[in-house]
Amino acid sequence: MTSNANIPWTRLAVEGMAIVVSILLAFAIDAWWANRADSIEEAEILTALQREFEINLVTLEEQLAYREAVRASANTILQAAAGQIRLEPAEFDRLLGDIVWTGWVDLSSGALESLLQSGKLSLIKNRKLSEHLAALPYWLNNTARLEEFELRRLDAELFPFFSEHAYLPQIYNTFKGQPGTGDFPSPSVLPTRETRDHTDLLQNLKFVGMISIEHNDHNDAIWSYGILREKLEAAIDLIESELLGRK
């Protein structure tokens, strides 16, 4: 029978401690590696989001210029309808061209949707930033709904009215590019058989009502774009601060 005195307790204790330390060290290394991988993925996600938001800001600025230009044209028409100013037929046609120009904002949300749908929002350690990102789809969807409603109204009301009460080829020939931006120039000229004076529309109450609605629709869009721009700028600032803190 082995005597307790012959058992190498000290060596066994040291070996046991070495095993425990090695296990703990292995766990620590695994945890460090996992955190490092999460940190790298988080930085990649934030960089992709920042790039997407910056592109969207450029698009918003362009569409804000368009909306403000058409709102100004609608306001000028309403001033003429109220007898405050007089418009020459050619200038009135140009203003009508602004009104019938159809533009909309085309924003990218692929990176944000991928983050939210994948369940990886938890990778964003900054709570303020993660909450801000989670709320962004509401503002993106709000802008999209507003524009969808406006396009339906244009198709159902404005374009049918102009087709019946105005000579559209003459109005379309005033197009020089998107109002406010000059984008999408339209150099082609439609054939026309007559020159019509459209200023008689200023006496048409339905026309004046439609221009009033158009003015307010663009005003609503400008407000919506402004709110969304603030949200995107705030997101970019938070992302930049988070990424800067990692360097």
Side-chain angles (χ1 to χ4, degrees), residues 3-154:
S3 171
N4 286 340
N6 296 327
I7 298 176
W9 295 109
T10 301
R11 181 171 61 81
L12 291 176
V14 171
E15 290 177 351
M17 182 63 67
I19 293 173
V20 171
V21 169
S22 65
I23 292 174
L24 293 176
L25 181 60
F27 283 146
I29 292 173
D30 286 343
W32 173 84
W33 186 258
N35 288 335
R36 182 175 183 274
D38 286 348
S39 181
I40 292 174
E41 185 174 8
E42 180 187 9
E44 292 174 347
I45 290 172
L46 293 178
T47 300
L49 289 172
Q50 180 180 358
R51 189 181 306 115
E52 181 171 88
F53 296 160
E54 287 172 345
I55 292 172
N56 284 340
L57 278 180
V58 172
T59 301
L60 275 178
E61 290 299 327
E62 293 173 348
Q63 291 305 300
L64 271 171
Y66 154 69
R67 293 286 190 171
E68 289 169 350
V70 179
R71 181 180 63 176
S73 294
N75 187 61
T76 301
I77 291 174
L78 292 174
Q79 288 178 350
Q84 297 176 2
I85 60 174
R86 182 176 180 277
L87 292 173
E88 295 296 327
E91 174 62 9
F92 187 55
D93 281 355
R94 186 193 67 77
L95 295 172
L96 293 179
D98 287 352
I99 297 299
V100 299
W101 184 284
T102 304
W104 61 89
V105 65
D106 185 15
L107 298 176
S108 171
S109 59
L112 180 60
E113 289 179 0
S114 176
L115 170 65
L116 298 178
Q117 293 176 5
S118 66
K120 292 185 177 182
L121 186 61
S122 59
L123 288 175
I124 310 301
K125 300 298 189 298
N126 186 316
R127 182 175 178 181
K128 184 177 180 180
L129 175 55
S130 65
E131 291 176 349
H132 192 84
L133 293 174
L136 265 180
Y138 169 82
W139 298 103
L140 289 166
N141 292 334
N142 183 65
T143 298
R145 285 194 301 270
L146 184 149
E147 297 205 335
E148 288 172 4
F149 175 81
E150 180 186 1
L151 288 174
R152 287 197 299 269
R153 184 187 61 78
L154 293 176

Side-chain angles (χ1 to χ4, degrees), residues 169-184:
Q170 180 178 318
I171 294 174
Y172 284 143
N173 284 341
T174 66
F175 287 170
K176 303 299 180 184
Q178 185 181 56
T181 68
D183 294 337
F184 316 110

